[in-house]
Amino acid sequence: MSKVTSMKQAISTAISDGDSVYLAGFTHLIPFAAGHEIIRQEYTDLEVVRATPDLIYDQMIAAGCVGKVTFSWAGNPGVGSLRAFRRAIEDGVPNPIELEEYTHFGLVMRLYAGAVGLPFVPLKTFSGSDLPAENDNIRSVQSPFGDEEVYAVPPLNPDVAVVRGQRADENGNVHLWGIPGEHKEAALASDTVILSVEEIVDESVIRSDPNRTLVTADDIDYIVEEPYGSHPSYAQGYYDRDNDAYLNWDEVSQTHESTQEWLDEWVYSVADRDEYIRKLSSDRLLDLQTGNAYSEPINMGEN
């Protein structure tokens, strides 16, 4: 049976209220379309997990989908605070949320432990940090090879991960270039994986460059072809970051009421990502088009 489906179907089948959900992507290939579909389907009490939760988690928090955030650093990159995030923490609006905080490396190492089946991973990243005093999942351990003490974190195995790539075949073998982020670890660590790509291509395209295949078909449960699925973040080689959208979010999210107005216009009142993109002006989309900077071809050889 084909894994290719719509984002609406993938989200409704894969996610239940109360699940832990990891939306992967570092700087680019952030799955905004998936987050908006989660909001449209009105999920509640989710534990949303992510290194650098940015606008998409702020929007999900504002929509009342979130009960807990497990994260490393939170903010509107290059702009300032996440206002809905702060309202939920400081004022319980629209509902109180629980926090579990790590460093970037600490959180990704939890994913790595979950991906490879380790009971914990030792690391030094928390030395000198206040985080161990605030997070029971960061514990000091003594080295079995000497007297040194280091910190350790447990495995992280989200119920569902959404990962993006530039292209994939219909089986789910994914090509990704640019910053790889934590896509691979999130996919391998999670029970269910939704893959969202800019385009589905023939298997021969993927096989032509196996070293670019970051995640393989056996780790993917659902495949969604969704151009501009990362907007307003970017997809390397497909479109640039929409910096104006990040600046605009700082303005529209100043109050809970104005945030809800934005969600009503850009999430609830649109059926899917296609309709969302049609709402953007053609000039705006043209401004986001990338130039061409091709890598040099290589000879893979032939047996």
Side-chain angles (χ1 to χ4, degrees), residues 204-231:
S204 63
V205 176
I206 303 301
R207 287 183 176 274
S208 72
D209 192 354
N211 291 332
R212 210 180 297 278
T213 305
L214 193 71
V215 182
T216 56
D218 54 337
D219 299 309
I220 302 300
D221 298 287
Y222 304 94
I223 304 168
V224 180
E225 184 179 43
E226 202 151 50
Y228 290 97
S230 290
H231 180 271

Side-chain angles (χ1 to χ4, degrees), residues 102 106 109-110 113 119-126 132 135-142 149-155:
Y102 298 87
M109 285 300 97
R110 285 202 63 194
F120 65 90
V121 170
L123 64 170
K124 288 187 173 182
T125 187
F126 297 108
N135 187 338
D136 290 339
N137 275 329
I138 304 171
R139 303 182 187 181
S140 61
V141 295
Q142 185 171 331
E149 281 201 354
V150 296
Y151 287 96
V153 291

Side-chain angles (χ1 to χ4, degrees), residues 22 25-26 48-54 57 69-75 82 85 99-111 125-126 131 135 138 156 182:
Y22 199 108
F26 190 84
V48 293
V49 192
R50 180 173 158 76
T52 67
D54 66 352
Y57 277 15
V69 183
T70 298
F71 72 108
S72 57
W73 186 85
L82 293 175
F85 182 97
L99 296 183
E100 187 174 319
E101 186 176 2
Y102 298 87
T103 61
H104 289 342
F105 188 60
L107 183 60
V108 173
M109 285 300 97
R110 285 202 63 194
L111 279 176
T125 187
F126 297 108
L131 286 173
N135 187 338
I138 304 171
L156 175 62
E182 76 289 44

Side-chain angles (χ1 to χ4, degrees), residues 17-21 43-49 57 60-70 88-89 94-100:
D17 288 340
D19 277 354
S20 58
V21 179
Y43 283 96
T44 60
D45 198 33
L46 297 176
E47 177 187 358
V48 293
V49 192
Y57 277 15
M60 292 169 66
I61 289 168
C65 298
V66 178
K68 179 179 179 179
V69 183
T70 298
I89 295 300
N95 57 271
I97 60 174
E98 181 184 350
L99 296 183
E100 187 174 319

Side-chain angles (χ1 to χ4, degrees), residues 146-164:
D147 296 331
E148 183 179 12
E149 281 201 354
V150 296
Y151 287 96
V153 291
L156 175 62
N157 295 105
D159 294 313
V160 181
V162 183
V163 299
R164 294 212 85 226

